[in-house]
Amino acid sequence: MSEWNNKVKRILKSELVKRGLSTEDLTNLLNENGCTETKSSVDSKISRGTFSASFFMQCLYVIGCTKIEIEEYRSTFMISEPSVLMVAEPNDEYKTVKDDN
């Protein structure tokens, strides 16, 4: 289960990076939209990767993410293939690196 938590956490983090947003920005946007979160609680949820689907959807909504291409993250969700999403500058394409060992 923790492997899946890490994958979803990476998706949320990458969507923030693509938009040049910090977790503080995310917290402010959530609170402007009726949530009662602190920066610390948002940081904790994302760090652990143990947040609800509702929290995930709220985050995507408030940052303006209207679509996630699952195909883009497909190799991230393949349990049998180890992969890592590389962090890049906002608006850059993310590359999946596979270990051929």
Side-chain angles (χ1 to χ4, degrees), residues 35-97:
C35 297
T36 53
E37 295 285 349
T38 64
K39 182 179 180 310
S40 177
S41 69
V42 170
D43 286 339
S44 270
K45 287 177 183 181
I46 294 173
S47 175
R48 287 189 319 266
T50 55
F51 42 79
S52 68
S54 298
F55 177 79
F56 182 63
M57 294 301 291
Q58 286 172 324
C59 290
L60 295 179
Y61 175 79
V62 300
I63 66 172
C65 181
T66 58
K67 182 176 173 182
I68 291 182
E69 293 290 331
I70 298 300
E71 193 63 35
E72 178 180 349
Y73 300 104
R74 186 172 181 78
S75 63
T76 307
F77 287 107
M78 293 179 152
I79 301 297
S80 61
E81 284 187 36
S83 62
V84 177
L85 282 178
M86 301 301 291
V87 176
E89 293 296 320
N91 300 322
D92 284 354
E93 290 288 326
Y94 289 90
K95 298 175 181 87
T96 303
V97 178

